[in-house]
Amino acid sequence: MKFHTWLAGALARAGKNQTELAEYLEVTPQAVSLWLQPPPPEGKGTVPRGRRLVAIAEFVGDRTILPGYASSIPSDQGNVLPWSSRDELPDDPERVWIDRYDYHFSAGDGLIQWEVREKNALPFNRAFFNAKGVKPENAKLLVSRGDSMEPYLFDKDMFMIDSSDQRVRDGEIYAIFYEDEPLVKQVFKLPGGGITLHSYNERKYRDREITADKMHYVKIVGRVVYRSG
């Protein structure tokens, strides 16, 4: 769109006139009149740029003329809805609440014990689980510790696992227990039934190879399907 066409329309939509714009910019009315004229065939005419263009856009409340506007995120999309209690959120039958957990290993019976800490549940849309192929009842939100999986997971980042997905897929990331130690690792299969536990921060942490005869020390808690941090 030509600048003069945009400016005329923006002034009309904002209920402003060129005299008010001139006073706002501290320029002469003649300068604004030049901006409202079609450019001559032999040139581009007079078009404000830089800070003055930004000031005009702010005055009329229309930033579509600014460079890069088309590639920016629309103001009504991707926004955050802050809340401190569930009652503040609008009703949504598609919303699923997932509690955040810390977990520990019970050496007595070999089962994973989930212990709820005092952490607020987080809402997810049912479409999220459909897209991930995960049932909400199998989803667990956990917190990573340490730096072994940086930059994929940083210390105290949150991640979600599908606790029903305990069959190792080569190259996927899993929450596991190895010799009673809770870990989050990328897992690769080894010939003969063993696995390799790989840390993304490989400069600091070496791979661990677990041969088939030691797999009874391994407990797959679930596959990582989401991370946030």
Side-chain angles (χ1 to χ4, degrees), residues 49-147:
R49 303 184 185 280
R51 293 183 179 179
R52 179 159 290 176
L53 181 59
V54 173
I56 294 172
E58 291 176 347
F59 179 77
V60 298
D62 183 351
R63 301 178 65 87
T64 57
I65 197 65
L66 297 179
Y69 179 85
S71 61
S72 63
I73 299 175
S75 60
D76 61 341
Q77 298 179 23
N79 297 317
V80 173
L81 178 61
W83 58 281
S84 57
S85 69
R86 298 187 186 187
D87 295 337
E88 295 177 1
L89 293 173
D91 292 335
D92 185 353
E94 293 300 305
R95 183 184 297 123
V96 177
W97 290 93
I98 302 294
D99 288 320
R100 283 182 287 177
Y101 290 86
D102 282 337
Y103 60 101
H104 66 269
F105 187 86
S106 175
D109 53 15
L111 300 176
I112 300 299
Q113 301 293 325
W114 299 94
E115 181 179 353
V116 181
R117 307 293 185 183
E118 293 184 0
K119 297 177 180 178
N120 292 327
L122 295 182
F124 289 84
N125 193 282
R126 291 188 185 277
F128 167 86
F129 297 99
N130 293 336
K132 295 291 185 181
V134 177
K135 294 181 179 179
E137 59 267 25
N138 294 329
K140 304 290 185 183
L141 283 174
L142 309 175
V143 178
S144 64
R145 302 294 179 185
D147 60 354

Side-chain angles (χ1 to χ4, degrees), residues 18-214:
Q18 62 188 71
T19 301
E20 292 172 319
L21 176 58
E23 292 176 352
Y24 177 78
L25 297 175
E26 298 181 348
V27 299
T28 64
Q30 290 77 11
V32 178
S33 296
L34 289 174
W35 296 338
L36 289 166
Q37 295 177 12
E42 66 277 7
K44 297 183 179 180
T46 303
V47 177
R49 303 184 185 280
R51 293 183 179 179
R52 179 159 290 176
L53 181 59
V54 173
I56 294 172
E58 291 176 347
F59 179 77
V60 298
D62 183 351
R63 301 178 65 87
T64 57
I65 197 65
L66 297 179
Y69 179 85
S71 61
S72 63
I73 299 175
S75 60
D76 61 341
Q77 298 179 23
N79 297 317
V80 173
L81 178 61
W83 58 281
S84 57
S85 69
R86 298 187 186 187
D87 295 337
E88 295 177 1
L89 293 173
D91 292 335
D92 185 353
E94 293 300 305
R95 183 184 297 123
V96 177
W97 290 93
I98 302 294
D99 288 320
R100 283 182 287 177
Y101 290 86
D102 282 337
Y103 60 101
H104 66 269
F105 187 86
S106 175
D109 53 15
L111 300 176
I112 300 299
Q113 301 293 325
W114 299 94
E115 181 179 353
V116 181
R117 307 293 185 183
E118 293 184 0
K119 297 177 180 178
N120 292 327
L122 295 182
F124 289 84
N125 193 282
R126 291 188 185 277
F128 167 86
F129 297 99
N130 293 336
K132 295 291 185 181
V134 177
K135 294 181 179 179
E137 59 267 25
N138 294 329
K140 304 290 185 183
L141 283 174
L142 309 175
V143 178
S144 64
R145 302 294 179 185
D147 60 354
S148 68
M149 287 299 285
E150 292 182 1
Y152 180 81
L153 284 171
F154 287 87
D155 185 44
K156 298 181 182 179
D157 275 359
M158 183 184 66
F159 63 97
M160 179 186 290
I161 63 167
D162 178 1
S163 62
S164 69
D165 192 347
Q166 299 179 0
R167 184 167 178 243
V168 173
R169 305 181 195 179
D170 200 47
E172 293 287 339
I173 298 174
Y174 293 85
I176 72 169
F177 277 94
Y178 177 55
E179 294 185 327
D180 299 358
E181 181 183 2
L183 302 169
V184 181
K185 299 293 179 186
Q186 188 176 25
V187 180
F188 294 96
K189 294 181 178 179
L190 289 175
I195 59 174
T196 295
L197 305 181
H198 175 69
S199 298
Y200 274 29
N201 189 358
E202 54 189 342
R203 291 185 178 181
K204 189 174 179 180
Y205 298 91
R206 296 180 179 179
D207 287 352
R208 297 189 188 183
E209 289 194 1
I210 303 174
T211 55
D213 61 316
K214 294 183 178 179

